[in-house]
Amino acid sequence: MIKKIKFVKWIAITAIIAVVFSGCSSEGIMESKELKEVELEHVHGLGYSPDGNKLFFASHDGLRVYEKGQWIQPAGEKHDYMGFSMVDDGFYSSGHPASGSKKKNPFGIVKSTDEGKSLEPLTLYGEVDFHGMSVGYKSHAIYLFNLEPNSAIETLGLHYSTDEAKTWTMSEMKGLNGNPTALAVHQTEESVVALGTDQGVFVSKDYGQHFEKLSSDMQVSSLSFTAKGDLLAGGVEQQAVLFKFNLESKKAEQLEIPVMTNDAIAHIAQNPINEQDISIMTIGNNAYTSTDFGKNWTKILDQGKGVSAPK
């Protein structure tokens, strides 16, 4: 039996990590470059590009991309990304600007449609940093946990926006038990949202007003909706596990994952072009990819360290 994993609760993090960056131009913009080696820590998001060719890792010192066996540092400043969600035309995020950047700190909610070269502020720019945030891949419905009153959202708790963060509605969260540890929004249905807690998996079909429990008392570490509308849930029972839930039948199918010791899945991503391609990032900074929906896995990061394949 492994020890109970102590997850970092993203809804309770308030500290800003100060990092000194090097290699930037006079305006702080990094040019895209291939990397022979990569080292990542504090990864706060994982997702495929809309064309399915690139796997993005969002970390506290910028984005990194894994593409066809090669590690790449994409163009753009090396921001501290939080609450990161890939969508069908780019990504949404919160976080903090890179050292030396002219952007306001914190980000509030920003969006990029050019892989991070530029960021469009949507709301609360320079006011709030959201760690617990998720966005629907096609619906672009934004759900987040608000921890303190601000100029856009006066109340605390789970809120959602369906108009690019212009207006917000509070979710009542009736039926939810435990401390939230993971959040995911259905790819196309803006009213469907899932929450993971230390007491199981919960799903709402009415914008988070009421939640229904799907799982046993699994300690949930990650959630992600597939293109077909199934829910992938990583967590810990007696060991690290990964389940696929069908929301209609409420049946759960356990998927095969790599052997993990005192570790669990922190992020899950599915390729939008090929549904058999999935990737996971663990709390222990290990990353794996699969081309057959979890039957076989290839390790691409070992405790945060990766190497590009020879060309």
Side-chain angles (χ1 to χ4, degrees):
M1 179 184 300
I2 68 171
K3 298 178 181 178
K4 189 174 184 180
I5 300 294
K6 295 182 178 179
F7 301 122
V8 175
K9 301 295 190 296
W10 32 251
I11 62 173
I13 298 174
T14 57
I16 298 175
I17 301 174
V19 182
V20 177
F21 303 109
S22 61
C24 295
S25 69
S26 59
E27 295 183 355
I29 303 297
M30 296 289 298
E31 298 297 329
S32 177
K33 63 179 181 180
E34 295 184 356
L35 305 172
K36 292 183 179 180
E37 298 178 353
V38 68
E39 185 169 0
L40 292 175
E41 59 180 345
H42 305 301
V43 172
H44 298 133
L46 179 71
Y48 287 89
S49 58
D51 63 8
N53 292 328
K54 302 174 183 178
L55 180 62
F56 278 76
F57 292 75
S59 75
H60 76 91
D61 66 340
L63 300 172
R64 300 295 185 275
V65 170
Y66 185 75
E67 181 180 12
K68 297 178 180 179
Q70 301 297 307
W71 285 99
I72 300 167
Q73 181 176 292
E77 295 182 287
K78 297 169 68 176
H79 301 304
D80 180 5
Y81 289 104
M82 305 284 185
F84 180 90
S85 289
M86 294 293 293
V87 294
D88 58 358
D89 65 351
F91 68 79
Y92 291 77
S93 190
S94 190
H96 307 277
S99 178
S101 174
K102 296 180 181 179
K103 290 180 171 56
K104 291 184 179 181
N105 184 23
F107 279 158
I109 301 176
V110 295
K111 182 180 180 180
S112 177
T113 56
D114 56 9
E115 299 186 343
K117 294 178 185 177
S118 63
L119 300 177
E120 175 193 358
L122 297 182
T123 190
L124 297 169
Y125 187 50
E127 187 174 346
V128 180
D129 169 32
F130 295 109
H131 290 245
M133 184 174 80
S134 183
V135 184
Y137 184 78
K138 291 184 177 180
S139 73
H140 295 194
I142 306 170
Y143 283 76
L144 57 78
F145 275 92
N146 188 47
L147 301 184
E148 59 185 18
N150 53 65
S151 62
I153 310 172
E154 295 182 355
T155 50
L156 309 186
L158 182 66
H159 294 72
Y160 67 91
S161 173
T162 59
D163 57 7
E164 291 288 86
K166 295 180 179 65
T167 60
W168 295 91
T169 303
M170 182 178 178
S171 301
E172 294 295 333
M173 295 191 295
K174 294 180 180 179
L176 185 72
N177 295 315
N179 298 314
T181 54
L183 174 67
V185 184
H186 194 283
Q187 292 197 17
T188 58
E189 302 294 330
E190 62 183 29
S191 62
V192 179
V193 59
L195 270 173
T197 79
D198 55 1
Q199 296 184 29
V201 179
F202 297 80
V203 171
S204 170
K205 296 181 179 180
D206 60 359
Y207 296 93
Q209 305 307 327
H210 301 85
F211 280 90
E212 179 181 7
K213 190 173 183 179
L214 287 186
S215 77
S216 59
D217 294 331
M218 176 176 72
Q219 186 186 14
V220 180
S221 57
S222 56
L223 294 171
S224 180
F225 279 97
T226 70
K228 289 184 176 179
D230 294 324
L231 180 64
L232 299 177
V236 174
E237 290 184 334
Q238 298 301 313
Q239 58 186 3
V241 291
L242 175 62
F243 287 96
K244 181 178 72 172
F245 290 93
N246 182 288
L247 299 193
E248 299 305 320
S249 68
K250 301 177 184 178
K251 292 183 179 179
E253 174 189 352
Q254 186 168 354
L255 304 180
E256 297 179 39
I257 60 172
V259 175
M260 299 182 190
T261 302
N262 293 329
D263 202 358
I265 299 171
H267 303 285
I268 313 167
Q270 182 190 46
N271 190 317
I273 304 301
N274 185 347
E275 65 182 24
Q276 292 298 306
D277 290 351
I278 58 174
S279 295
I280 56 176
M281 180 79 190
T282 77
I283 293 172
N285 282 336
N286 300 301
Y288 304 84
T289 62
S290 173
T291 59
D292 52 14
F293 210 77
K295 293 182 176 62
N296 297 280
W297 293 93
T298 299
K299 194 172 193 178
I300 59 173
L301 282 177
D302 186 357
Q303 296 182 354
K305 297 180 179 180
V307 179
S308 291
K311 288 188 174 181

